[in-house]
Amino acid sequence: MMERKVVDPEYMFKRAPREKKFLIGNEAVAEAVKRANVDIAIAYPITPQSEATHIVGDIYAEGYIKDYYRGEDEFNVMSAIAGARMGGARTFTATSGPGTLRAFEMFPLWAGARLPVVCAFMCRGVNSPLTIQPDNIEIGWLMDTGMLIFHAENPQEFFDMTLQAYIVAEQPDVHIPIGVCVDGFFVTHTREIVEVTPEDEMLPPYDPSTSPVPIMDMEVPPIRQMRDPFVMKSNYISYNTHASWQQEVRAAGERAKKHIARYVGKFIEVTNPDAEILLIASGTAAAQARVAMEQAREKGMDVGLAKIRVIRPFPEDEVRELAENPRIIIVPEHNIVGWLAREIKSRIDNSGKVRGHPRVFGGMTMPPEFIMEEIVNGRAR
Amino acid sequence: MAISSYRVIPGPESYLSPAAASMGVVLPEKGEALIEGKIVPEEEAIEKITEKLILAKNPFFFPGPLILWAWNEKAIAKAKAVKELAEAAGAKIIPMPDYRPKYPMINPEEEINPNHPNLTIWHNKIDTCVFVGVHCHYANLALKIIRGGTDCYTIALCGQAGHEDAMITLRDIHSEEVQKLTEVVKRAKGGTPQ
Amino acid sequence: MKKNIATISPGFEDIMPEEYQDLVNDGPYGRGLGIKNLGTFKELIEEHPLCAGCGLALAIRLTAASLPAPEDTIIVGTTGCNSILMPQLAIHNIHSLFGNQSSLAAGLKRALKLRYPDKNKDVVVMAGDGGIADIGLSPTLHTWLRRENLTTIMLDNESYSNTGGQESGMSCEGAVLNMAPTGKKFPKIPMPEIAKDSGCAYVATVSVANARRLGRMVKRAILVAREIGPTYLQIFVPCPTNYKFSTSETLKRAKEREKIMEYISSEAEKLIKEANI
Ligand SMILES: Cc1ncc(C[n+]2csc(CCOP(=O)(O)OP(=O)(O)O)c2C)c(N)n1
Ligand code: SF4
Ligand SMILES: [Mg+2]
């Protein structure tokens, strides 16, 4: 194990020298974990995530992580992650599709218990029929758990956002979980140039003393402290408390905005904002939309692209502003429900201009031509 | 981001008040503070706190577990400073030693904090209160509920990033800052014709 | 723990409510007390809303009074009658979800081992029979199989009490309960045997009517978990509300059906002898 030094997070994210490596997404996220000063990682196999947590296991074996094991199933892995976080440790875990669903009861608990968990979701389709292929329908379900959600487009963003997620999640005024999502296979198994920070530099450790709720170690007052206290008495104050508690979790998400702006950067990356037709997409759909946009512009069509990087907290103000100009908004997605289109429609005034197409799922790829079809149809309208 | 027009002012505001952060109120940066949802220089907030404490008919301090328990030197020092401040302001103290839900009953006319037995509002007779040493999550819940149901003026002296749900909040407040506030209050009191 | 997290900051002694002053002046932290001292110190439990005559409430009280190191114990509960009492306990405790108490406790214990390598932090799972033997059976077994340093205490009232008295895996064969309208069709799950076969170094059963023995078993179970590996204690805690008997009969019923059993691995035997408990 090499000697390493703690560095300032902003330096690491913005100014540290970068080395080019040729990595798949699963390797990129493991490189991030190596630099994240993680105390405990817990793993459970599922494609396409497994490889990432294999490598995290190797990093543990080399001594860069203090504890690591394979849990019994995703629900119990996410539970153990909660326990470790309540005990003041920094954690890492990852899962995919069916694993996400198996664990689901834990995500609102992470948020409600104010646990700054960072979890990678390498999205894949869910049963039935059985599939292991890319499909990000699970993000649509995660969106309402109280967790924050980043959607990385490629291995580079997966590396950067994973590191950044720790620093945002652990802010005392935020202190809620962040899911760093990527589209399975398209990102996890695609090899690209990734610029990584120096191997001997790591994030500062988590500081449990700044937690907005007491750490459960019998070292901080108050001694009489239940995480979470039962507020299920049948009276107005109990109900009001529960309601306020939920509001406070959402408020923490709002507070994250300024930290995201500082550490993660733009919520939305926009090319040609004044175009007649605006593509709005996240994850690998944004990559495909970019190709389609370029092809369309070569043909003289007025097309722009807004890539949304942060799904929660949703950049509502920016999206409302972006939605004013274009005549048509096209939202290509890698899932059947169209959670991004739904989200955009619910936030803007003129939702009639939003076309929730094209959508592919079940492992299908998104050829730029498929998006182009939509652009051409849109122009004809 | 759109500038929020939402004001964090005494209630009773609503059957269920929103969290101020969700209404666009943003926490202050270092050296700043919030007055009723607006970012101001810290000094301005200190003045306003002083004014509120002096004019209050029935001010109360609600110190929380982070200072009531002598778990480190900082806590002890801050507790001492808070007690002096409360005395200087002529305020009474109701301690919040922990976050225990109260059994068997809560009388919402008298008590308001869900997870604590001792946060009393006494039929709204407390007109100004100061939160200090309460874990941020719990402070936010209580501050919001107070705004929803009472006309109490809430002040938070936060050791971390501050509280949008209080009417005035300072941030990064430790014993020295509390002592400074005490000096200001004492001076102001001395200057007020009795 | 830092001793002074139970010390009141100077100047606030008189302002603190009486029950907290008592806890500070007369509480059990760091004093090595036990059942035999009951009545001579301020207990960890405040007034709570469980039913009159509740066996489970008494078992929690006795367990709390028997913790070898209450000042360094964290309890992980689960949904059920226990979770309504737990916020009244003057120890850090966690309500997890229904059934994930053991896996959560494993994560917690590992975190505390990392953060406090030179201290004993006892993590104790205390949960209902439904929580441990039915919905949480998998993590219960897996923490044992992985040899996690946890104590698991089952508060066995032979039903899902909190939800109105449904059959659980720990109900007796033939018992007529909600969701078993014609009587339970299979015997009580043999948790003690399973615990033994799954790697617990100490396994014991007792009833709430046997306070002294219960206290000793709690101490043994926690000490062995601290030093050796997983331990399991099953306490029979009759529930007057759902089994519909008079609240004055709880202890009598507990006594009648009490099964006392103690399995101690040879390694644990040595430890218990040395510690003289
Ligand atoms: C996932 C989930 N399923 C079901 C429940 C409903 N539930 C809450 S408590 C409880 C019964 C608990 O029984 P047991 O563990 O034996 O504890 P007891 O109340 O008997 O002490 C049930 C079924 C729940 N809260 N969560
Ligand atoms: S229902 Fe039974 S176990 Fe639950 S509190 Fe009442 S008596 Fe105790
Ligand atoms: Mg039961």
Side-chain angles (χ1 to χ4, degrees), chain A residues 196-217:
Chain A
V196 300
T197 56
E199 225 177 333
D200 61 350
E201 294 182 355
M202 62 178 171
L203 291 179
Y206 170 61
D207 176 5
S209 74
T210 63
S211 172
V213 285
I215 295 294
M216 307 309 282
D217 58 4

Side-chain angles (χ1 to χ4, degrees), chain A residues 30-41:
Chain A
E31 290 288 340
V33 171
K34 186 170 184 176
R35 290 155 178 77
N37 209 346
V38 166
D39 297 307
I40 302 180

Side-chain angles (χ1 to χ4, degrees), chain A residues 74-76 78 95 98-107:
Chain A
E74 291 87 351
F75 172 59
N76 287 297
M78 302 311 170
T95 190
T100 303
L101 287 190
R102 183 63 58 99
F104 218 84
E105 200 185 355
M106 285 309 295
F107 303 133

Side-chain angles (χ1 to χ4, degrees), chain C residues 49-57 81-82 157 159 161-162 237-242:
Chain C
L50 296 195
C51 311
C54 174
L56 178 146
C81 289
N82 77 84
N157 52 20
S159 74
S161 284
N162 192 50
V237 292
C239 163
T241 303
N242 287 302

